[in-house]
């Protein structure tokens, strides 16, 4: 009975770790946490739960993402990730979405590929510190839902269009490179 209850909670996307007293033993279960309908990588959930999801410093971020001239701030929790990522939903008019290279994969006949961001398969984990700099780092679930790649925005060489490029091929590589 207790295991069925645990399976049900996981299936419902319960928000955090839960302890269930079965009468015989206490079970600890790490639940699936979601942002924009996407399950966070297990490593990110662990870092958040342990309070270890912290900015590696501007110099560390600059080594990892040298094309960002503006400083980034890591989003501290899933509520901030959800809130900041909602801005992706506002880019639905054609000229603005083309300028920012964002698209909705479900409305396309072919898959959305880089340098485009598929807003249905991404959410932000870091955003610009300085208002108006408009840079972001996102998890991109198009490659691996368990260990999505990190992608960052950049201004293309013609200086009139934002595009997206790979920061790390997997989130776990981002964690390692950031010494988190």
């Amino acid at each position: 009975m207790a295991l069925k209850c645990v399976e049900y909670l996981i299936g419902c996307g319960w928000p955090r770790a839960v302890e269930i007293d079965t009468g015989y033993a206490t079970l600890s279960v790490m639940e699936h946490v979601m942002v924009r309908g996407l399950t966070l990588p297990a490593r990110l959930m662990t870092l958040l739960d342990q309070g270890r999801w912290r900015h590696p410093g501007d110099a560390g971020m600059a080594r990892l993402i040298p094309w960002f001239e503006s400083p980034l701030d890591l989003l501290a929790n899933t509520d901030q990730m959800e809130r900041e990522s909602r801005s992706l939903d506002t880019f639905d008019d054609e000229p603005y979405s083309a300028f920012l290279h964002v698209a909705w994969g479900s409305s396309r006949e072919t898959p959305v590929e880089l340098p485009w961001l598929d807003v249905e398969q991404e959410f932000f984990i870091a955003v610009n510190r300085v208002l108006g700099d408009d840079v972001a780092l996102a998890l991109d679930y198009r490659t691996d839902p368990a260990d999505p790649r990190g992608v960052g925005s950049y201004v293309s060489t013609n200086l009139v269009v934002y595009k997206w490029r790979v920061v790390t091929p997997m989130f776990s590589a981002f964690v390692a490179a950031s010494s988190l």
Side-chain angles (χ1 to χ4, degrees):
M1 178 67 169
L3 289 178
K4 290 215 180 281
C5 182
V6 169
E7 289 171 2
Y8 173 77
L9 290 173
I10 290 173
C12 292
W14 196 264
R16 282 279 176 248
V18 171
E19 287 189 357
I20 300 173
D21 186 354
T22 65
Y24 302 102
T26 300
L27 301 173
S28 291
V29 180
M30 176 61 81
E31 307 302 340
H32 298 282
V33 177
M34 301 181 97
V35 172
R36 293 181 61 80
L38 301 166
T39 301
L40 267 68
R43 185 74 180 131
L44 180 54
M45 286 191 286
T46 300
L47 291 168
L48 287 166
D49 286 339
Q50 294 175 353
R52 294 178 37 228
W53 177 245
R54 290 183 293 242
H55 197 286
D58 290 340
M61 287 295 262
R63 280 190 301 278
L64 184 60
I65 314 167
W67 68 86
F68 277 180
E69 294 178 10
S70 302
L72 285 175
D73 283 334
L74 293 183
L75 299 171
N77 55 52
T78 56
D79 290 337
Q80 286 183 4
M81 292 172 193
E82 186 77 41
R83 184 175 53 251
E84 290 291 337
S85 298
R86 274 190 220 128
S87 66
L88 293 168
D89 298 329
T90 64
F91 306 135
D92 59 354
D93 74 340
E94 188 58 38
Y96 201 50
S97 64
F99 169 72
L100 294 173
H101 270 72
V102 296
W104 286 256
S106 64
S107 68
R108 301 283 176 111
E109 291 183 22
T110 60
V112 176
E113 300 292 341
L114 290 177
W116 288 79
L117 194 72
D118 183 342
V119 299
E120 297 168 325
Q121 297 295 316
E122 332 278 331
F123 66 83
F124 295 148
I125 59 171
V127 295
N128 50 280
R129 182 177 304 150
V130 179
L131 187 64
D133 283 353
D134 297 331
V135 293
L137 180 62
L139 292 184
D140 180 358
Y141 283 71
R142 292 176 285 185
T143 55
D144 183 351
D147 198 5
R149 67 184 168 191
V151 296
S153 60
Y154 74 100
V155 178
S156 66
T157 55
N158 64 11
L159 298 177
V160 294
V161 180
Y162 279 79
K163 294 186 179 181
W164 297 87
R165 65 194 281 189
V166 174
V167 173
T168 56
M170 298 171 293
F171 177 72
S172 56
F174 175 81
V175 170
S178 302
S179 301
L180 293 173

